[in-house]
Amino acid sequence: MNMPVNQEKKKIFVTVGTTQFDELVTRVLHPDMLEIMEAQGYTHLIIQIGRGPEPQIPTSQKIQITVYHLKESISSDIKDASLVISHAGAGSCLEVLHAHKPLIVVVNQKLMGNHQLELAEKLHSEKHVVMCYPETLKTTMTDFNTSSLENLPINNQMALSNYIEKLMGF
């Protein structure tokens, strides 16, 4: 895709962690979601699909779509992103928040019984992330406003982990 030289590259990075979250991958690749992304000026969609199956990649005139399973570090993808959409795993959330990137956390309801929902709800209530479910991602993306988010008051990774543990009541 040829981009005008002066057009800013706006990237969305989606991560499902090291397991699989096919419902999230399917939702972000839906034509309605791609239209929303295009309307918001996004030019790149990078999706880390974990152990999930290779998805059908739709054709987009305005968004360059890249998909990969796993790699040693997703730090550069997070750093380069204008927005991150992530599963609610603590490690992924901490890494994105430490990088001070806007974060939409999508809760995998099939993983109930773990702390992902509790963590997502707490970070959402503290206005550090916007939390949603796969079926509400489209509305969340449409209404998303980065100015409603507050950075974590911590820059140090260890202090950040301690802050999250305190939020969670551990």
Side-chain angles (χ1 to χ4, degrees):
M1 174 170 74
N2 291 331
M3 306 262 315
V5 175
N6 62 350
Q7 185 174 350
E8 178 187 351
K9 292 181 181 179
K10 284 181 68 179
K11 297 180 181 182
I12 295 177
F13 175 57
V14 178
T15 178
V16 304
T18 57
T19 59
Q20 69 184 77
F21 191 179
D22 301 341
E23 193 174 2
L24 174 56
V25 173
T26 300
R27 296 281 177 166
V28 296
L29 288 172
H30 191 277
D32 290 348
M33 279 293 292
L34 293 175
E35 282 182 29
I36 292 166
M37 293 173 195
E38 289 175 8
Q40 294 177 350
Y42 290 99
T43 58
H44 293 74
L45 175 61
I46 300 97
I47 308 170
Q48 180 266 326
I49 61 172
R51 301 193 194 298
E54 203 69 40
Q56 180 80 26
I57 306 296
T59 304
S60 172
Q61 298 300 314
K62 297 180 182 174
I63 296 182
Q64 180 180 327
I65 301 171
T66 306
V67 174
Y68 65 87
H69 285 277
L70 298 167
K71 62 181 177 180
E72 196 167 309
S73 173
I74 59 172
S75 296
S76 63
D77 292 315
I78 292 169
K79 179 180 167 257
D80 294 341
S82 306
L83 169 65
V84 178
I85 299 173
S86 176
H87 71 120
S92 296
C93 290
L94 285 173
E95 189 169 358
V96 175
L97 291 171
H98 183 68
H100 299 291
K101 293 294 179 170
L103 177 59
I104 296 175
V105 175
V106 184
V107 176
N108 186 348
Q109 294 163 299
K110 295 176 183 169
L111 296 179
M112 290 303 156
N114 62 34
H115 293 289
Q116 287 193 8
L117 175 62
E118 188 179 349
L119 175 63
E121 286 176 337
K122 190 63 176 176
L123 290 173
H124 179 81
S125 73
E126 296 286 326
K127 298 183 180 177
H128 300 306
V129 306
V130 172
M131 182 194 97
C132 69
Y133 299 94
E135 62 273 12
T136 60
L137 180 58
K138 179 180 168 186
T139 304
T140 300
M141 188 70 186
T142 301
D143 299 338
F144 187 69
N145 180 353
T146 59
S147 66
S148 67
L149 296 176
E150 297 177 12
N151 281 333
L152 285 174
I154 311 290
N155 287 327
N156 173 295
Q157 188 71 36
M158 185 56 135
L160 181 60
S161 295
N162 292 337
Y163 176 77
I164 296 295
E165 287 179 8
K166 183 179 174 193
L167 277 179
M168 299 300 296
F170 296 140

PDB file of all heavy atoms in Angstrom, residues 5 24 38 40 45 52 84 106 129 152 159:
ATOM      1  N   VAL A   5       3.482  10.643   1.759  1.00  0.00           N
ATOM      2  CA  VAL A   5       4.639  10.859   2.619  1.00  0.00           C
ATOM      3  C   VAL A   5       4.265  11.587   3.905  1.00  0.00           C
ATOM      4  O   VAL A   5       4.770  11.283   4.968  1.00  0.00           O
ATOM      5  CB  VAL A   5       5.743  11.646   1.864  1.00  0.00           C
ATOM      6  CG1 VAL A   5       6.905  11.982   2.784  1.00  0.00           C
ATOM      7  CG2 VAL A   5       6.212  10.854   0.671  1.00  0.00           C
ATOM      8  N   LEU A  24     -11.740 -12.603  19.922  1.00  0.00           N
ATOM      9  CA  LEU A  24     -11.180 -11.255  19.803  1.00  0.00           C
ATOM     10  C   LEU A  24     -10.596 -11.050  18.402  1.00  0.00           C
ATOM     11  O   LEU A  24     -10.838 -10.031  17.762  1.00  0.00           O
ATOM     12  CB  LEU A  24     -10.113 -11.011  20.873  1.00  0.00           C
ATOM     13  CG  LEU A  24      -9.340  -9.689  20.777  1.00  0.00           C
ATOM     14  CD1 LEU A  24     -10.264  -8.487  20.771  1.00  0.00           C
ATOM     15  CD2 LEU A  24      -8.331  -9.595  21.917  1.00  0.00           C
ATOM     16  N   GLU A  38     -10.744   2.598   9.996  1.00  0.00           N
ATOM     17  CA  GLU A  38     -10.460   3.488   8.867  1.00  0.00           C
ATOM     18  C   GLU A  38     -11.000   4.888   9.135  1.00  0.00           C
ATOM     19  O   GLU A  38     -10.302   5.882   8.902  1.00  0.00           O
ATOM     20  CB  GLU A  38     -11.072   2.925   7.584  1.00  0.00           C
ATOM     21  CG  GLU A  38     -10.371   1.700   7.055  1.00  0.00           C
ATOM     22  CD  GLU A  38     -11.071   1.075   5.849  1.00  0.00           C
ATOM     23  OE1 GLU A  38     -12.031   1.673   5.314  1.00  0.00           O
ATOM     24  OE2 GLU A  38     -10.656  -0.025   5.444  1.00  0.00           O
ATOM     25  N   GLN A  40     -11.439   6.332  11.870  1.00  0.00           N
ATOM     26  CA  GLN A  40     -10.652   6.976  12.924  1.00  0.00           C
ATOM     27  C   GLN A  40      -9.213   7.255  12.486  1.00  0.00           C
ATOM     28  O   GLN A  40      -8.402   7.714  13.290  1.00  0.00           O
ATOM     29  CB  GLN A  40     -10.689   6.120  14.192  1.00  0.00           C
ATOM     30  CG  GLN A  40     -12.073   6.052  14.808  1.00  0.00           C
ATOM     31  CD  GLN A  40     -12.154   5.150  16.024  1.00  0.00           C
ATOM     32  OE1 GLN A  40     -11.229   4.407  16.353  1.00  0.00           O
ATOM     33  NE2 GLN A  40     -13.278   5.204  16.709  1.00  0.00           N
ATOM     34  N   LEU A  45      -2.940  -2.425  11.271  1.00  0.00           N
ATOM     35  CA  LEU A  45      -3.507  -3.308  12.275  1.00  0.00           C
ATOM     36  C   LEU A  45      -2.566  -4.499  12.409  1.00  0.00           C
ATOM     37  O   LEU A  45      -2.382  -5.254  11.451  1.00  0.00           O
ATOM     38  CB  LEU A  45      -4.911  -3.766  11.866  1.00  0.00           C
ATOM     39  CG  LEU A  45      -5.602  -4.800  12.760  1.00  0.00           C
ATOM     40  CD1 LEU A  45      -5.805  -4.259  14.177  1.00  0.00           C
ATOM     41  CD2 LEU A  45      -6.939  -5.214  12.146  1.00  0.00           C
ATOM     42  N   GLY A  52      -3.697 -19.407  18.493  1.00  0.00           N
ATOM     43  CA  GLY A  52      -4.916 -19.518  17.695  1.00  0.00           C
ATOM     44  C   GLY A  52      -4.640 -19.872  16.250  1.00  0.00           C
ATOM     45  O   GLY A  52      -3.509 -19.752  15.762  1.00  0.00           O
ATOM     46  N   VAL A  84      -3.676   0.046  21.825  1.00  0.00           N
ATOM     47  CA  VAL A  84      -3.519  -1.390  22.032  1.00  0.00           C
ATOM     48  C   VAL A  84      -4.869  -1.957  22.467  1.00  0.00           C
ATOM     49  O   VAL A  84      -5.538  -1.388  23.335  1.00  0.00           O
ATOM     50  CB  VAL A  84      -2.438  -1.712  23.090  1.00  0.00           C
ATOM     51  CG1 VAL A  84      -2.337  -3.222  23.312  1.00  0.00           C
ATOM     52  CG2 VAL A  84      -1.085  -1.139  22.674  1.00  0.00           C
ATOM     53  N   VAL A 106     -10.101  -6.461  26.523  1.00  0.00           N
ATOM     54  CA  VAL A 106     -11.239  -7.290  26.144  1.00  0.00           C
ATOM     55  C   VAL A 106     -11.193  -8.560  26.992  1.00  0.00           C
ATOM     56  O   VAL A 106     -10.234  -9.327  26.920  1.00  0.00           O
ATOM     57  CB  VAL A 106     -11.210  -7.626  24.639  1.00  0.00           C
ATOM     58  CG1 VAL A 106     -12.456  -8.422  24.246  1.00  0.00           C
ATOM     59  CG2 VAL A 106     -11.096  -6.348  23.803  1.00  0.00           C
ATOM     60  N   VAL A 129      -7.759   1.925  31.916  1.00  0.00           N
ATOM     61  CA  VAL A 129      -8.101   1.209  30.680  1.00  0.00           C
ATOM     62  C   VAL A 129      -9.596   1.359  30.434  1.00  0.00           C
ATOM     63  O   VAL A 129     -10.348   1.753  31.325  1.00  0.00           O
ATOM     64  CB  VAL A 129      -7.765  -0.309  30.761  1.00  0.00           C
ATOM     65  CG1 VAL A 129      -6.320  -0.541  31.162  1.00  0.00           C
ATOM     66  CG2 VAL A 129      -8.704  -1.047  31.696  1.00  0.00           C
ATOM     67  N   LEU A 152      -1.073   5.403  34.741  1.00  0.00           N
ATOM     68  CA  LEU A 152      -0.738   4.917  36.066  1.00  0.00           C
ATOM     69  C   LEU A 152       0.278   5.875  36.670  1.00  0.00           C
ATOM     70  O   LEU A 152       1.139   6.397  35.958  1.00  0.00           O
ATOM     71  CB  LEU A 152      -0.130   3.513  35.990  1.00  0.00           C
ATOM     72  CG  LEU A 152      -1.102   2.373  35.725  1.00  0.00           C
ATOM     73  CD1 LEU A 152      -0.331   1.070  35.527  1.00  0.00           C
ATOM     74  CD2 LEU A 152      -2.092   2.216  36.846  1.00  0.00           C
ATOM     75  N   ALA A 159       7.479  -1.092  40.943  1.00  0.00           N
ATOM     76  CA  ALA A 159       6.476  -0.297  41.647  1.00  0.00           C
ATOM     77  C   ALA A 159       5.114  -0.443  40.966  1.00  0.00           C
ATOM     78  O   ALA A 159       4.080  -0.458  41.635  1.00  0.00           O
ATOM     79  CB  ALA A 159       6.906   1.171  41.690  1.00  0.00           C
TER      80      ALA A 159
END
